Amino acid sequence: MAAVYFTQNVLGAFLLDEEGKRLAESLAPFKTNEIIDYLIDLEEGKVTQQAREVLEKAKSMGFNEVVVETIEDGKIASSLGLTPRVDVRASVISRFRERLQDLAVELGLCSSKDEFYTKLHEISLELSRRKLRKEAQKRDLLAIQAIRAIDDIDKTINLYVSRLREWYSIHFPELDELVKDHHDYARIVYELGDRENISYEKLKRLGFSEELSTKISEASRKSIGADLSDFDIEYIKTLAGIILDLYELRETLEGYIDAVMKEVSPNVTAIVGSKLGARLLSLAGSLENLAKLPASTIQVLGAEKALFRALRTGGKPPKHGVIFQYPAIHKSPRWQRGKIARALAAKLAIAAKIDFYTGRFVGDKLVKELQERIEEVKKLYAKPPAKKPEEVKPSKKGREKRR
Amino acid sequence: MSEVVAIKPHEKYYGVYVVELEDGSMRLATKNLVPGHRVYGERLFRYENVEYREWNMYRSKLAGALANGLSEQPIRESDSILYLGVATGTTASHISDIIGLKGRIYGVEFAPRVMREFVALADVRKNLYPILADARKPQLYRHVVELVDGVYADIAQPEQASVVADNADYFLKHNGYLLLAIKARSIDVTKEPSEVYRREIETLKNRGFEIVDVVHLEPYDKDHAMVYARFKR
């Protein structure tokens, strides 16, 4: 009797004849989150449902011996009552491996080869992250410290920039009004220093618009500020340099938080992004704490002051805490925000629990469900609710304030 | 730092560029796949609206091998490559530049600490596929790797040749290329390889590799050599 070959890969389990034709197959779930569980099972040498199906079929077709590539696959075959023969260089299987991407399209799992590779890239990233997470101990605390450092840096930048503006205004007071952006302001001071040195060309080279460059260079010629010596300006430039360094540090920290959060808490990150995710962890104290919070608490994290005031006075509780930063909340009209916040907090509660206890990736599903709910809210509550005349609302303004 | 005078494609090596600087010195470089992004603090050059990344011979053994005159640079655009011991992805990032977005590098690395950086890099470079696994156990990642055009290996292990051959059995195409960075103890690689070293090459030959070229990596890496071979199934 001719030999049959058994192999498993990212697409599923397959039974092949000597020509490499597929005799039987059972496909893996080709969705990022489910396939990762499947791949981890394969790696751990577990008998998957797919392998079982295919090998049962081999038996029912009358085969007793199967050729496999690895001892691991051999064990699976023998546990299901077949006699395995291990051939590491089985050319039938390697030729089959060569056609993996075409096969994915043929089986209708992807619409094109490119899509297959994009998916495979996603899968390999997620799989590595999942394995890294097992190694990651207390890395949530690192993300928390980093996000707090960013907040500190923001405060410091503000403090330094207001000092810089006052200091440099002795020399060139008009610039304060013209350049509102702190980063741009610090760059002009640091790169050009003395206002004599400021010209249209140099500003253009720093990337400012024609209009602004014209305005600034004109103002520098007519400035009413005091003339300063290089000796005096050097120290102002040093301060500006430190501010620019702080901006750079802030940016690298954001990148760092992004990397850590995707690893520590991929689902929360998928829903609200790494920065807001890290803020939530920071407010909860750790991923473990966040995972143990109910959705209602997550909803008002960061609005503790408003919440306790409401509880004390019996007024209206806040609708959202730090999750207000989620674009779909703060960009929506007022009367929709509470509903969206509730939906978001519920999804976050699920995400945090999965992140902490299993680490599976279900982010895309959660995001999809959340989007659907937001659409629904927007449709059902497109108009502001009619005001009820009997309800008297005392000083509503002060109570609604949060953060 | 001195300015760029000209950037030309390398006369001998595919996908590699030569940067001529104002002070007369020459650097190797690759076209940056992700303009604006540095991977390991290397210099970026802009020339005729294309961005290039300096390929440092002291940091990357492949660059060292090319600088020392390897007979050919076998990596082509849209190749798929299995990279054993990818570490943080310094060399892999240049290969990633060469193969472009249609190519793929399956980067195998066992140490979580360095894998973390590689995962972050793979997030930006879409042709890098991270695999956190032990290169000595290819059966554990056979499900996610296709049949590849080439294998690049930089694993400092005593049995490196047999580890590479095990991987080639599963994943390397017929006539696929192998670039193996190997720790050599000999003075002249081609004539008098030391015992340890000859054994490794012997293993490769016994396992179906045809050795094309071997170059020393002095002065960029001490006691290292690069083996370039083809696999016959």
Side-chain angles (χ1 to χ4, degrees):
Chain A
M1 191 172 211
V4 283
Y5 296 80
F6 167 67
T7 183
Q8 306 188 79
N9 55 41
V10 70
L11 302 176
F14 298 89
L15 199 66
L16 310 169
D17 70 8
E18 276 175 331
E19 241 83 89
K21 253 178 61 189
R22 304 197 303 278
L23 297 175
E25 66 211 11
S26 177
L27 300 185
F30 206 59
K31 286 187 197 128
T32 310
N33 48 339
E34 287 160 43
I35 198 143
I36 283 167
D37 289 333
Y38 171 77
L39 289 172
I40 287 177
D41 283 351
L42 285 192
E43 206 179 309
E44 288 171 352
K46 284 188 190 153
V47 184
T48 59
Q49 185 206 325
Q50 282 82 355
R52 179 168 291 132
E53 264 178 41
V54 165
L55 289 170
E56 290 294 342
K57 212 171 266 175
K59 268 197 286 188
S60 70
M61 289 161 97
F63 296 107
N64 289 321
E65 193 187 83
V66 289
V67 184
V68 293
E69 247 186 340
T70 63
I71 297 165
E72 283 77 4
D73 279 350
K75 279 183 192 154
I76 291 171
S78 63
S79 77
L80 291 169
L82 286 145
T83 318
R85 183 157 63 81
V86 180
D87 177 4
V88 173
R89 291 175 86 157
S91 66
V92 169
I93 298 181
S94 72
R95 262 186 279 131
F96 188 68
R97 177 171 284 126
E98 192 171 9
R99 294 184 45 243
L100 218 58
Q101 60 279 18
D102 302 313
L103 196 66
V105 181
E106 219 176 292
L107 294 169
L109 293 169
C110 299
S111 61
S112 68
K113 277 196 234 180
D114 284 347
E115 195 193 313
F116 171 74
Y117 285 124
T118 310
K119 196 85 192 165
L120 191 62
H121 183 253
E122 219 173 89
I123 290 168
S124 68
L125 269 177
E126 215 28 67
L127 186 62
S128 299
R129 284 210 185 94
R130 176 96 72 91
K131 286 198 246 166
L132 282 174
R133 206 169 302 129
K134 282 184 196 155
E135 310 284 333
Q137 282 180 334
K138 303 274 176 202
R139 280 179 59 88
D140 54 336
L141 300 184
L142 295 178
I144 291 172
Q145 290 301 336
I147 195 83
R148 288 180 187 167
I150 282 189
D151 291 341
D152 291 346
I153 290 170
D154 283 344
K155 273 188 214 155
T156 314
I157 288 177
N158 269 329
L159 188 68
Y160 281 177
V161 166
S162 53
R163 172 62 56 226
L164 180 72
R165 281 176 183 269
E166 261 190 70
W167 196 351
Y168 192 65
S169 287
I170 296 174
H171 176 56
F172 186 8
E174 293 81 0
L175 190 66
D176 189 29
E177 266 302 306
L178 286 171
V179 183
K180 283 286 164 213
D181 185 88
H182 292 343
H183 189 228
D184 289 345
Y185 190 94
R187 266 176 64 223
I188 294 177
V189 177
Y190 179 73
E191 300 283 348
L192 304 175
D194 197 315
R195 71 165 187 260
E196 303 265 292
N197 196 21
I198 295 177
S199 67
Y200 176 80
E201 288 76 32
K202 283 180 181 164
L203 287 165
K204 280 286 297 200
R205 212 175 304 149
L206 287 179
F208 291 98
S209 70
E210 280 176 28
E211 196 195 342
L212 195 61
S213 303
T214 322
K215 271 188 187 165
I216 297 171
S217 56
E218 264 171 28
S220 73
R221 261 178 281 128
K222 297 183 208 149
S223 176
I224 55 164
D227 290 330
L228 296 183
S229 67
D230 286 350
F231 175 75
D232 293 321
I233 285 182
E234 212 39 56
Y235 294 95
I236 308 180
K237 276 171 81 171
T238 309
L239 178 65
I242 289 173
I243 292 170
L244 292 178
D245 286 348
L246 284 173
Y247 273 110
E248 209 184 306
L249 174 60
R250 189 186 193 285
E251 208 173 291
T252 50
L253 276 179
E254 274 181 24
Y256 171 68
I257 289 178
D258 200 45
V260 175
M261 282 299 291
K262 275 183 182 159
E263 196 184 294
V264 169
S265 188
N267 291 303
V268 169
T269 308
I271 299 175
V272 292
S274 53
K275 254 166 72 189
L276 183 48
R279 288 234 148 78
L280 286 166
L281 286 190
S282 166
L283 287 163
S286 69
L287 180 58
E288 181 172 5
N289 288 353
L290 186 68
K292 287 176 178 169
L293 291 181
S296 55
T297 306
I298 294 177
Q299 192 185 341
V300 294
L301 273 180
E304 285 80 4
K305 205 171 140 199
L307 175 69
F308 289 114
R309 186 182 53 226
L311 291 175
R312 231 178 15 251
T313 61
K316 285 175 70 178
K319 293 194 287 283
H320 32 61
V322 71
I323 59 168
F324 182 70
Q325 292 171 3
Y326 185 67
I329 295 185
H330 69 250
K331 283 193 181 138
S332 296
R334 279 184 172 280
W335 63 90
Q336 294 175 358
R337 289 179 187 171
K339 297 182 206 316
I340 298 175
R342 226 180 309 129
L344 174 62
K347 288 297 174 223
L348 283 171
I350 297 171
K353 284 169 180 58
I354 297 174
D355 282 340
F356 183 70
Y357 291 105
T358 74
R360 282 182 54 195
F361 185 75
V362 293
D364 10 353
K365 189 169 149 249
L366 292 175
V367 169
K368 199 170 143 255
E369 285 170 2
L370 180 62
Q371 291 304 341
E372 280 165 13
R373 172 61 185 156
I374 291 173
E375 290 307 311
E376 191 178 277
V377 168
K378 298 226 175 240
K379 213 184 279 167
L380 288 177
Y381 305 95
K383 298 249 163 62
K387 278 189 181 148
K388 291 176 199 156
E390 67 267 27
E391 200 183 326
V392 190
K393 292 171 186 166
S395 67
K396 195 181 162 216
K397 274 230 162 102
R399 208 158 267 172
E400 288 250 317
K401 241 187 179 161
R402 62 200 60 84
R403 275 185 41 77
Chain B
M1 270 194 276
S2 45
E3 295 282 312
V4 178
V5 179
I7 298 184
K8 286 181 214 132
H10 198 285
E11 284 174 4
K12 189 166 159 196
Y13 300 131
Y14 180 92
V16 183
Y17 293 82
V18 179
V19 182
E20 197 185 330
L21 294 176
E22 218 173 29
D23 60 7
S25 64
M26 302 287 209
R27 306 284 163 88
L28 293 180
T30 52
K31 235 182 236 179
N32 195 353
L33 185 73
V34 190
H37 260 269
R38 275 192 183 79
V39 175
Y40 55 101
E42 71 279 21
R43 252 188 98 175
L44 300 179
F45 305 108
R46 270 200 94 76
Y47 185 71
E48 289 177 347
N49 267 333
V50 182
E51 193 175 280
Y52 299 84
R53 295 164 54 234
E54 181 180 354
W55 198 353
N56 190 326
M57 285 91 94
Y58 291 92
R59 298 286 300 274
S60 166
K61 291 183 190 116
L62 182 52
L66 297 180
N68 283 355
L70 191 71
S71 66
E72 189 201 357
Q73 192 291 97
I75 302 164
R76 295 287 175 271
E77 196 182 341
S78 64
D79 272 4
S80 57
I81 290 164
L82 177 66
Y83 193 132
L84 306 173
V86 73
T88 55
T90 304
T91 300
S93 73
H94 287 287
I95 300 179
S96 148
D97 283 345
I98 294 171
I99 61 173
L101 285 174
K102 292 223 151 137
R104 292 159 301 284
I105 299 174
Y106 298 91
V108 179
E109 174 58 51
F110 190 44
R113 210 189 62 80
V114 286
M115 191 58 178
R116 200 161 275 143
E117 281 174 56
F118 185 69
V119 166
L121 186 66
D123 219 2
V124 187
R125 290 180 171 259
K126 303 293 180 200
N127 56 13
L128 302 183
Y129 295 62
I131 294 171
L132 179 64
D134 189 343
R136 284 174 300 186
K137 295 176 184 156
Q139 66 272 23
L140 296 186
Y141 49 84
R142 70 184 194 284
H143 325 105
V144 287
V145 178
E146 62 182 309
L147 207 66
V148 295
D149 299 305
V151 172
Y152 185 97
D154 185 359
I155 40 171
Q157 269 175 14
E159 299 296 326
Q160 48 184 345
S162 62
V163 171
V164 165
D166 287 346
N167 276 278
D169 280 345
Y170 283 124
F171 306 117
L172 189 55
K173 277 182 190 162
H174 176 68
N175 207 29
Y177 53 86
L178 164 73
L179 289 165
L180 171 64
I182 200 166
K183 215 177 169 160
R185 299 220 158 72
S186 75
I187 297 159
D188 186 332
V189 178
T190 46
K191 282 175 196 152
E192 286 176 27
S194 76
E195 253 335 287
V196 182
Y197 178 74
R198 187 162 56 205
R199 206 188 62 205
E200 297 294 293
I201 287 199
E202 229 20 76
T203 315
L204 286 180
K205 282 183 183 163
N206 291 339
R207 299 284 299 266
F209 284 97
E210 275 174 19
I211 311 293
V212 182
D213 194 17
V214 183
V215 287
H216 237 326
L217 297 187
E218 297 273 359
Y220 311 113
D221 279 284
K222 259 196 167 171
D223 290 337
H224 276 77
M226 181 71 73
V227 179
Y228 167 33
R230 291 271 171 184
F231 187 54
K232 306 293 173 194
R233 267 189 181 273

